[in-house]
Amino acid sequence: MKVTVVGAGNVGATVANVLAQKKFCSEVVLVDIKDGVPQGKAMDIMQTAHMLNFNTRVVGVTAQPGDENGYAPTAGSEVVVVTSGIPRKPGMTREQLIGTNAKIVKSVVDQAMKFSPNAYFIIISNPMDSMTYLTLKDTKLPRNRVIGQGGMLDSSRFRYFLAQALTKAGYAASVTDIDGMVIGGHNDKTMVPLVSLATWRGVPVTDFLSKEELDDVVAQTKVGGATLTGLLGTSAWIAPGAAAAALVEAIAMDEKKLIPCCVSLEGEYGEKDLCIGVPVVLGAKGVEKVVELKLAGDEKAQFEASVQAARDTNSKLGDALK
């Protein structure tokens, strides 16, 4: 499989680095507007090939907006991962990036589509739900080929904080033994960690943790990205990059995994004309099934609030949708 990663910043370089070590990837093209950066990061990754025993070819390419042939080296990519845009700084919300990042995402998607019209698109750029919606509307692709990476990352953070809480409570809980899912928007305030479905080795976490402890886990999950931004001085990149690579792998290997992703709803959950995080089956045809959960009580109300927040953010896309 040939994969293009647009944006050679921390997240994009991490995606490329993880994919390079996967046996299914023959070539990764790392694209950026800043000359030297994609080439340097591609070279850096390639210099680990012997040590890490991989044969993937990683290539760095400079492509400026409006350069009709800048994306020519990406031709024939089966998956395009879009990380382009400015990252968050401490104190910023993802939604505050919409004006700048909408223009960037639209430009790179248009250029990538010209050379890889059959590609699946995985969107990481923030605000992710709106950038996924923008990509869907701009390309007019079927919904199975436009996927936002948010739920995979947020669910990983949810499982991490659950494991931390269980360990603090005196249990020997490993993150790999935790199952948990986050749906809704990739938003610090309105994402929905599903406590009711979370388990430790198949046993509900509610059997081990109090409501207060679980409320704290939910709160930490929601601000998981902001916490890292505060610690690092910029957006996180290792877990986001690995999450995106996992989505690529699910498509490449036809894994048919159940993964929460941002996708277009066509009546599911009673919603249309919206991209938001829900569980989907991801395989060789991209989104092969949208799974409808039976939400009730607080979780249903929280999901509805998340939907409204996503619609409010989409309304700020303005001219980018034209």
Side-chain angles (χ1 to χ4, degrees):
M1 173 177 277
K2 180 175 181 178
V3 179
T4 286
V5 180
V6 185
N10 289 334
V11 176
T14 301
V15 177
N17 188 40
V18 174
L19 288 176
Q21 299 173 53
K22 301 292 184 179
K23 301 299 183 184
F24 65 81
C25 233
S26 60
E27 183 177 7
V28 178
V29 183
L30 189 57
V31 184
D32 202 277
I33 62 172
K34 191 172 181 180
D35 192 31
V37 172
Q39 292 86 351
K41 293 194 176 181
M43 185 183 296
D44 197 19
I45 293 169
M46 286 301 298
Q47 289 173 359
T48 71
H50 187 273
M51 293 182 283
L52 300 178
N53 191 31
F54 65 80
N55 295 310
T56 307
R57 180 170 177 258
V58 184
V59 180
V61 174
T62 305
Q64 298 297 333
D67 179 359
E68 292 188 2
N69 295 314
Y71 276 64
T74 71
S77 293
E78 291 151 276
V79 179
V80 175
V81 182
V82 180
T83 76
S84 304
I86 58 172
R88 284 203 287 177
K89 295 180 180 179
M92 290 182 71
T93 66
R94 295 181 179 93
E95 291 65 39
Q96 287 175 303
L97 305 175
I98 191 165
T100 300
N101 286 356
K103 295 175 184 176
I104 295 171
V105 169
K106 186 177 188 302
S107 173
V108 302
V109 166
D110 288 346
Q111 289 175 288
M113 271 288 290
K114 178 181 176 183
F115 292 96
S116 301
N118 298 316
Y120 293 85
F121 282 81
I122 295 175
I123 309 301
I124 301 180
S125 307
N126 280 315
M128 186 275 303
D129 301 282
S130 291
M131 295 303 100
T132 304
Y133 180 75
L134 171 62
T135 300
L136 183 80
K137 292 297 183 180
D138 180 56
T139 61
K140 298 180 173 57
L141 289 172
R143 71 168 175 173
N144 65 301
R145 288 174 55 191
V146 180
I147 304 156
Q149 184 280 104
M152 180 77 169
L153 173 62
D154 294 330
S155 297
S156 292
R157 288 172 173 164
F158 183 37
R159 291 190 287 268
Y160 166 79
F161 287 119
L162 280 170
Q164 292 291 100
L166 285 164
T167 300
K168 185 178 180 181
Y171 302 103
S174 167
V175 177
T176 56
D177 292 333
I178 304 295
D179 197 8
M181 181 184 299
V182 176
I183 63 172
H186 187 50
N187 179 301
D188 292 354
K189 295 181 179 179
T190 65
M191 69 175 69
V192 187
L194 296 175
V195 172
S196 65
L197 298 181
T199 60
W200 176 31
R201 296 299 293 264
V203 182
V205 294
T206 51
D207 287 2
F208 306 100
L209 298 173
S210 67
K211 182 180 184 303
E212 291 73 20
E213 289 170 318
L214 288 167
D215 286 346
D216 184 58
V217 166
V218 168
Q220 289 187 75
T221 300
K222 287 184 174 183
V223 298
T227 299
L228 286 165
T229 300
L231 292 169
L232 298 168
T234 187
S235 295
W237 62 87
I238 297 174
L247 300 188
V248 176
E249 186 167 15
I251 295 170
M253 303 303 291
D254 193 20
E255 291 181 332
K256 300 195 186 315
K257 278 191 173 181
L258 183 64
I259 301 174
C261 299
C262 177
V263 297
S264 174
L265 298 184
E266 297 177 354
E268 298 89 357
Y269 296 89
E271 302 295 338
K272 292 183 179 180
D273 193 33
L274 177 78
C275 291
I276 201 163
V278 293
V280 306
V281 176
L282 201 61
K285 297 180 181 177
V287 177
E288 300 190 357
K289 179 180 176 62
V290 174
V291 178
E292 285 197 74
L293 301 173
K294 294 181 180 179
L295 301 176
D298 288 346
E299 290 174 344
K300 186 174 188 296
Q302 290 167 24
F303 182 74
E304 290 171 351
S306 194
V307 165
Q308 187 54 55
R311 291 194 185 281
D312 290 345
T313 305
N314 287 349
S315 69
K316 299 174 184 175
L317 285 168
D319 291 343
L321 282 174
K322 296 179 181 178

